[in-house]
């Protein structure tokens, strides 16, 4: 999910709102499927016991579970339905979660994480590993770490 806010051009805002209101409401089951998929991916990559279990069963078969997870998270259909899946109105659970994230955002915690990522980036660059974008935009923020 995401959000676009336009507040300088009232006419453009009204046009965008009219277009979005024509979109169907996201089904709750689709939203929960996204949440469960994200939780499974996070658990598989970040929980040591689950990661170890998956490795024990995937490595002997040559199955690259990390690539499979990245594909699940980033994967886009190869057909014309790419934009269709984004053309939905957010449902109540998504809006509630968005409100929660907005009201619980911790700027000092976020700044600390960004500092840690910049420290890692500096160390990598000093050791010959170049990261994209660091010459052009020193004020960029990381969602995924670019390597």
């Amino acid at each position: 999910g995401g959000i676009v806010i336009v507040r300088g051009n009232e006419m453009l805002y009204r046009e965008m709102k009219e277009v979005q209101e024509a979109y169907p409401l996201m089904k709750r089951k689709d939203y929960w499927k996204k949440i469960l998929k994200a939780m499974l991916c996070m658990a598989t990559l970040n929980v040591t016991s689950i990661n170890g279990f998956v490795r024990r069963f995937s490595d002997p078969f040559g199955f690259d579970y990390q690539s499979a997870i990245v594909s699940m998270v980033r994967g886009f259909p190869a057909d014309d339905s790419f934009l269709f899946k984004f053309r939905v109105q957010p449902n109540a659970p998504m809006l509630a979660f968005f409100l929660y994230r907005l009201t619980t955002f911790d700027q000092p915690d976020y700044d600390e994480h960004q500092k840690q990522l910049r420290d890692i980036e500096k160390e990598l660059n000093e050791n010959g590993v170049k990261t994209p974008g660091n010459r052009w935009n020193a004020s960029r923020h990381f969602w995924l770490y670019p390597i």
Side-chain angles (χ1 to χ4, degrees):
I3 187 168
V4 175
I5 299 173
V6 176
R7 295 312 301 181
N9 184 331
E10 199 61 35
M11 190 167 112
L12 177 61
Y13 171 73
R14 281 195 304 270
E15 288 175 19
M16 290 173 61
K17 187 175 182 196
E18 188 176 308
V19 168
Q20 187 182 23
E21 286 173 348
Y23 295 160
L25 187 65
M26 176 184 260
K27 295 176 183 169
R28 285 182 184 228
K29 83 171 185 185
D30 292 338
Y31 179 66
W32 293 116
K33 276 179 18 183
K34 285 183 179 214
I35 298 296
L36 288 172
K37 185 167 96 170
M39 289 172 64
L40 278 169
C41 291
M42 293 295 290
T44 302
L45 292 175
N46 297 316
V47 176
T48 305
S49 58
I50 295 173
N51 186 284
F53 177 80
V54 170
R55 277 180 193 232
R56 274 193 293 286
F57 287 97
S58 64
D59 287 351
F61 299 103
F63 178 70
D64 185 357
Y65 73 95
Q66 290 177 329
S67 291
I69 289 173
V70 168
S71 176
M72 277 177 39
V73 172
R74 293 186 187 162
F76 297 114
D79 56 21
D80 292 336
S81 68
F82 173 73
L83 288 177
F84 180 76
K85 72 181 196 172
F86 297 103
R87 292 180 174 155
V88 294
Q89 292 185 55
N91 57 27
M94 183 186 284
L95 290 172
F97 183 66
F98 185 65
L99 178 63
Y100 168 78
R101 292 296 304 249
L102 284 174
T103 57
T104 61
F105 180 74
D106 183 349
Q107 186 69 49
D109 184 56
Y110 177 80
D111 292 342
E112 177 58 29
H113 285 125
Q114 292 301 308
K115 181 188 175 308
Q116 290 171 4
L117 288 169
R118 293 213 186 278
D119 290 347
I120 292 168
E121 180 182 48
K122 181 180 176 200
E123 178 106 7
L124 288 170
N125 288 328
E126 288 173 355
N127 288 287
V129 179
K130 299 301 177 197
T131 54
N134 60 354
R135 279 193 323 206
W136 295 281
N137 189 355
S139 65
R140 76 192 183 292
H141 299 276
F142 300 100
W143 172 60
L144 293 173
Y145 192 74
I147 293 184

